[in-house]
Amino acid sequence: TTTTTHAAYHHDPYAQPPETLTNLTDLAYNLPYPDKDYTSYSKSFTEPLFRKKDVITPALSHAYSLLDAAARERKTLRSQKRTTLRQLKALQRQFAAKKEELLARNAALKESSARVGSWTKRVFDLELIEPSPWNDKLAKLREYAARHDGRIPEHAAKNSADEEERTLA
């Protein structure tokens, strides 16, 4: 039987005959073939070659149980992945909607800023013609500037400027 068992493993140099596996729980935590990628096999092995009641060796029985556990984990992970993808798509739709909402708010804000700016200018113009002590001083300052080639009085000490400049400064 040893020859028959070993003959089945001669095609794969990484395979170990079941008799050489001394600690079966090592299989649960270590990949049996760590140097190769057998990801494509995950879809190939749809049902075991032997029925569980026909398995004789503990190594094959244990390997079947580990395969079943790995397949259950894969099924759970695929389900979690589908859930995550659905959530991601929902978030992408929500993000797109919020982005559109932000663009609309920016456009509305731009229009509102233009209205505020226009009304601010209108209020400023109306304030300048409103009778007040401030506007009286502004009128005197404009008259002074017109008489002095556009020059306005500099901030001067009260004793170094004439009366008009001290008032306007």
Side-chain angles (χ1 to χ4, degrees), residues 111-163:
E111 289 175 14
S112 178
S113 294
R115 277 192 305 277
V116 168
S118 181
W119 278 109
T120 299
K121 171 70 170 126
R122 179 67 176 147
V123 166
F124 180 71
D125 290 344
L126 290 172
E127 285 176 339
L128 291 179
I129 59 173
E130 189 76 15
S132 71
W134 192 91
N135 281 332
D136 292 343
K137 283 189 178 184
L138 179 62
K140 288 180 184 176
L141 180 61
R142 285 180 175 166
E143 289 171 14
Y144 178 89
R147 286 193 320 265
H148 294 90
D149 299 322
R151 183 179 74 81
I152 57 172
E154 296 180 21
H155 186 70
K158 289 199 182 228
N159 57 3
S160 66
D162 66 20
E163 181 64 31

Side-chain angles (χ1 to χ4, degrees), residues 3-139:
T3 308
T4 308
T5 306
H6 288 291
Y9 292 93
H10 283 291
H11 71 281
D12 188 351
Y14 294 97
Q16 298 179 30
E19 296 88 314
T20 62
L21 298 173
T22 55
N23 187 355
L24 295 179
T25 56
D26 284 345
L27 283 176
Y29 303 105
N30 300 313
L31 293 174
Y33 306 109
D35 299 334
K36 294 236 179 185
D37 182 10
Y38 290 102
T39 304
S40 62
Y41 282 33
S42 66
K43 297 176 185 173
S44 303
F45 193 80
T46 57
E47 62 180 68
L49 183 61
F50 301 102
R51 292 179 302 191
K52 290 186 181 185
K53 66 179 187 169
D54 295 334
V55 175
I56 298 171
T57 62
L60 183 56
S61 177
H62 191 67
Y64 275 158
S65 68
L66 293 176
L67 174 62
D68 289 344
R72 282 190 307 274
E73 178 188 34
R74 182 172 181 267
K75 185 177 180 179
T76 300
L77 290 171
R78 288 175 64 120
S79 175
Q80 291 170 345
K81 177 185 174 183
R82 284 190 299 272
T83 300
T84 301
L85 283 172
R86 280 193 303 274
Q87 291 170 342
L88 176 62
K89 286 179 183 178
L91 287 172
Q92 287 171 332
R93 286 190 300 272
Q94 186 180 6
F95 175 77
K98 288 297 181 182
K99 189 174 179 181
E100 288 297 320
E101 183 181 336
L102 179 61
L103 290 173
R105 297 224 188 272
N106 282 340
L109 182 61
K110 186 175 181 179
E111 289 175 14
S112 178
S113 294
R115 277 192 305 277
V116 168
S118 181
W119 278 109
T120 299
K121 171 70 170 126
R122 179 67 176 147
V123 166
F124 180 71
D125 290 344
L126 290 172
E127 285 176 339
L128 291 179
I129 59 173
E130 189 76 15
S132 71
W134 192 91
N135 281 332
D136 292 343
K137 283 189 178 184
L138 179 62

